Amino acid sequence: MYDINQVREDFPILSRKVYDKPLVYFDNAATTQKPLCVLDAMREEYLNVNANVHRGVHWMSQQATELHEQARETVRRFLNAKSTTEIVFTRGTTEGLNLVASTFADECMQEGDEVIVSTMEHHSNIVPWQLQARNKGIVLKVIPMSDDGILDMEAYKSLFTEKTRIVSVCHVSNVLGTVNPVKDIVRIAHEHGVPVMIDGAQSAPHFKVDVQDIDCDFFVFSGHKVYGPTGIGVLYGKEAWLEKLPPYQGGGEMIEHVSFEHTTFERPPLKFEAGTPDYIASHGLAVALDYVSKLGMDNIAAHEQELARYAIQRLQEIPEMKIYGKLRVEELRDENDYNRRKEGYGFDAVGKNSQLLSSNSQHSTFNSQLHDAVVSFNVGNIHHMDLGTLLDRLGIAVRTGHHCAQPLMDRLGVLGTVRASFALYNTKEEIDTLVAGIDRVRKMF
Ligand code: PMP
């Protein structure tokens, strides 16, 4: 484990005050704070080796290129991809999802072909497919979920037809914290010869992801949610897929040769990286990934698991508290939860986890029972916005609203929730502050 006090010193923003109250930052699912090493590295690069990458013969351009390509190797290691050619830099999860939706639909889908998504997707894994539906007449099919936020895997299996072309689902719900059984999802899709894209925006920051173990065809995440800078993200794609898909945007860097008559393209990953990449941010991301790797993803997962368990326990003490998703404390009591996550959360039908839960679960063989560092709730009749606004006045930053998952809100039958999301630097004392804050607001109403 790491020393939390020492870690907090790496994030100076955490010691600032808001409305004269110590900041409690629980909006980490939206974006995380940055350690000094990331900020220093980016400043250092601008100060000392700033030059455009890939195209210069001069020393600084070569240095900048080296940092950028080293960053690709750091990401490869972080995801355990086979090769750096499988790592495409994007602006973030949203761009990765759009890139695949657009190029995959162009290359592999025709009118009437189907994509499977789930009820708990972020808008960025719904709308890009809807744009393709509008352009190409493709059809969205949706994996239903139970009232407590677990994907119905039997229904998932029954969604496949001869027109299913791709599955695109989140690894972890940004609202419920449900960790989906992505290995099972991939295995079932592959049995039908269908590739799978995983939205890893909420998994990559919290536990070890191994794309080879999951065997997904595409995996996307955002740098800013993993303590890195904004404006940089990653698309992992199996080499064969990246070779097969057409370019997303045209411009510099992505071409091999251009003439007015005929243009040939670079091989992946450059084929998908038109224009000047955010090479300062890729370097910042690499420093952030090194930072979390040094702390240990297993240690981070264990720490956050402990926070989630504690938060659920404490929040349940509040009268009229409604927590969304399957968040039973007894399920979180197992200290080995994070070890199972380590396995890419793909433990199979006869795994320890399914046994643990088979007694109270109708889909026990596939169920995803783990919870990530996200808790969504409402309290009595207090509007989520009122609760969020009043907590803010106490220095507590939580997110309120639909969390870019309106279809999920519809399924839950609510307009919105309050969401507290945790990171490697949060503490139990901060959770106590949140609980006391909610109690104070509740008494005002
Ligand atoms: N998917 C999920 C599950 C998310 O939580 C988010 C961010 N809230 C996104 C996609 C979009 O990420 P970004 O805005 O960084 O592109």
Side-chain angles (χ1 to χ4, degrees), residues 144-327:
M145 69 171 209
S146 65
D147 289 344
D148 45 15
I150 304 293
L151 291 185
D152 181 339
M153 292 296 283
E154 293 306 319
Y156 167 60
K157 283 198 258 178
S158 70
L159 288 180
F160 285 86
T161 71
E162 74 282 359
K163 286 184 175 287
T164 310
R165 295 288 170 265
I166 189 166
V167 174
S168 189
V169 292
C170 61
H171 200 168
V172 174
S173 159
N174 67 315
V175 176
L176 304 168
T178 317
V179 185
N180 289 320
V182 287
K183 271 181 86 169
D184 290 327
I185 288 171
V186 169
R187 181 177 47 74
I188 291 162
H190 285 178
E191 282 165 12
H192 293 271
V194 171
V196 178
M197 171 153 65
I198 306 290
D199 170 354
Q202 299 296 346
S203 60
H206 299 297
F207 53 89
K208 177 79 190 122
V209 169
D210 182 331
V211 289
Q212 291 191 67
D213 183 48
I214 298 171
D215 199 26
C216 52
D217 301 274
F218 305 100
F219 184 96
V220 290
F221 72 95
S222 297
H224 69 97
K225 294 184 200 277
V226 200
Y227 313 97
T230 49
I232 190 86
V234 171
L235 159 66
Y236 157 82
K238 279 185 183 165
E239 196 166 350
W241 278 114
L242 294 186
E243 289 285 356
K244 185 175 163 71
L245 295 184
Y248 180 49
Q249 295 181 328
E253 301 282 318
M254 51 76 73
I255 50 84
E256 194 179 55
H257 180 77
V258 178
S259 73
F260 282 115
E261 290 72 37
H262 183 65
T263 291
T264 52
F265 305 120
E266 270 282 8
R267 305 274 307 274
L270 293 187
K271 179 167 92 175
F272 298 102
E273 295 181 0
T276 300
D278 196 340
Y279 53 87
I280 304 281
S282 65
H283 177 46
L285 173 61
V287 174
L289 297 183
D290 281 341
Y291 179 84
V292 291
S293 300
K294 210 161 144 208
L295 288 180
M297 289 310 291
D298 291 348
N299 292 332
I300 293 169
H303 175 73
E304 293 176 348
Q305 180 75 51
E306 185 58 32
L307 290 178
R309 188 184 304 141
Y310 185 69
I312 292 159
Q313 223 158 7
R314 292 283 345 260
L315 287 170
Q316 282 178 342
E317 291 167 12
I318 297 170
E320 298 186 282
M321 169 62 64
K322 164 82 183 143
I323 298 178
Y324 299 94
K326 199 180 182 75
L327 291 163

Side-chain angles (χ1 to χ4, degrees), residues 1 20 23 37 43 93 131 162 186 205 231 236 307 364 379 412:
M1 293 304 284
D20 221 23
L23 169 69
C37 59
R43 184 167 189 272
T93 304
L131 294 177
E162 74 282 359
V186 169
Y236 157 82
L307 290 178
S364 62
V379 182
L412 296 172

Side-chain angles (χ1 to χ4, degrees), residues 121-137:
E121 296 312 315
H122 188 278
H123 294 163
S124 62
N125 195 23
I126 300 173
V127 183
W129 296 108
Q130 285 175 331
L131 294 177
Q132 297 309 317
R134 200 177 60 186
N135 290 344
K136 296 205 69 168

Side-chain angles (χ1 to χ4, degrees), residues 123 174-175 384 400-406 408-409 414-417:
H123 294 163
N174 67 315
V175 176
H384 53 89
T400 58
H402 55 63
H403 315 295
C404 296
Q406 281 178 329
L408 175 57
M409 295 296 119
V414 294
L415 287 174
T417 72

Side-chain angles (χ1 to χ4, degrees), residues 84-143:
T84 49
T85 57
E86 297 178 317
I87 304 298
V88 178
F89 284 118
T90 62
R91 284 196 303 117
T93 304
T94 302
E95 189 174 60
L97 293 166
N98 275 277
L99 188 160
V100 174
S102 168
T103 58
F104 189 91
D106 277 353
E107 184 69 21
C108 307
M109 298 181 89
Q110 294 176 347
E111 193 173 343
D113 282 349
E114 296 163 356
V115 52
I116 296 177
V117 297
S118 89
T119 308
M120 60 176 84
E121 296 312 315
H122 188 278
H123 294 163
S124 62
N125 195 23
I126 300 173
V127 183
W129 296 108
Q130 285 175 331
L131 294 177
Q132 297 309 317
R134 200 177 60 186
N135 290 344
K136 296 205 69 168
I138 69 165
V139 178
L140 267 77
K141 292 200 145 176
V142 183
I143 311 169

